[in-house]
Amino acid sequence: MKRIIFVCTAILVLLAHSALAESGPSFRISAGPTMMYDPGNQKSGAGGHVTASYRVIPALEVELYGAMSSDFDVDNDLTNGDAAVSILTLGGRHVTSLGDKSAAFFAFGAGVLELNADEVPAGSDDSRQGGVARFGIGLDFFIIPSLGVTFGTGFNRGFGATSEVVLFDLTASAFFAF
């Protein structure tokens, strides 16, 4: 319930900042595939991601990022088998124009990371939630001013109950701005 209240409050704050937004598209939604890589055991898993962002000033967007992976090999105290990873963060994107057709960005955020294990000892919980910090960089390529593709890479570091999780990700997505 606290998370729902937090997300709703964040959305209301974003809507209140509409006077600060530059002319043109203020909202942006993107989705696409994600490849997550665990450098500890050198295993990877495919999945998908979705982002929703709101431009508060010309170079800064507030961003909600969510990603899920398929099962891949995890070796920690929860499981020695396969696990799926889910990430949800609230943060921002600092955007720098590289010309009429492209822009570079630096993304950052903090939120919740959840591990869902396939193989756990009998009587044990098969999931664990903790915090996550996310940092990323990428490039946007505009087909038209409100439609384009994004390529990026990110670093995800768990903390709290998921402090053993370190993941790198590669993303590609299509975006629509309005």
Side-chain angles (χ1 to χ4, degrees):
M1 185 64 175
K2 289 181 183 179
R3 287 185 204 139
I4 293 172
I5 292 171
F6 178 76
V7 170
C8 291
T9 302
I11 291 170
L12 290 174
V13 169
L14 292 176
L15 294 174
H17 284 87
S18 62
L20 297 174
E22 74 171 3
S23 62
S26 295
F27 291 97
R28 173 186 162 118
I29 296 174
S30 65
T34 298
M35 177 67 72
M36 291 189 185
Y37 175 75
D38 183 347
N41 63 8
Q42 300 180 355
K43 301 293 181 177
S44 62
H49 74 280
V50 174
T51 61
S53 62
Y54 177 76
R55 182 172 306 188
V56 291
I57 57 176
L60 184 65
E61 298 175 0
V62 175
E63 179 180 71
L64 183 64
Y65 171 84
M68 295 180 70
S69 78
S70 60
D71 292 345
F72 62 99
D73 192 30
V74 174
D75 188 11
N76 61 18
D77 63 330
L78 180 64
T79 182
N80 288 327
D82 289 343
V85 177
S86 301
I87 297 172
L88 180 64
T89 64
L90 180 61
R93 275 179 19 123
H94 183 271
V95 182
T96 302
S97 177
L98 298 176
D100 292 342
K101 297 287 185 182
S102 62
F105 66 86
F106 170 73
F108 52 91
V112 179
L113 182 141
E114 182 177 39
L115 290 173
N116 290 310
D118 284 346
E119 301 172 19
V120 295
S124 298
D125 188 11
D126 66 347
S127 66
R128 178 183 305 150
Q129 290 183 348
V132 66
R134 181 174 194 285
F135 303 96
I137 58 172
L139 294 171
D140 292 336
F141 297 99
F142 304 98
I143 298 168
I144 59 173
S146 61
L147 184 66
V149 294
T150 297
F151 300 99
T153 185
F155 172 76
N156 304 280
R157 172 73 172 150
F159 58 87
T162 56
S163 62
E164 77 280 2
V165 177
V166 175
L167 295 171
F168 293 99
D169 63 54
L170 292 173
T171 61
S173 59
F175 70 81
F176 177 70
F178 54 97

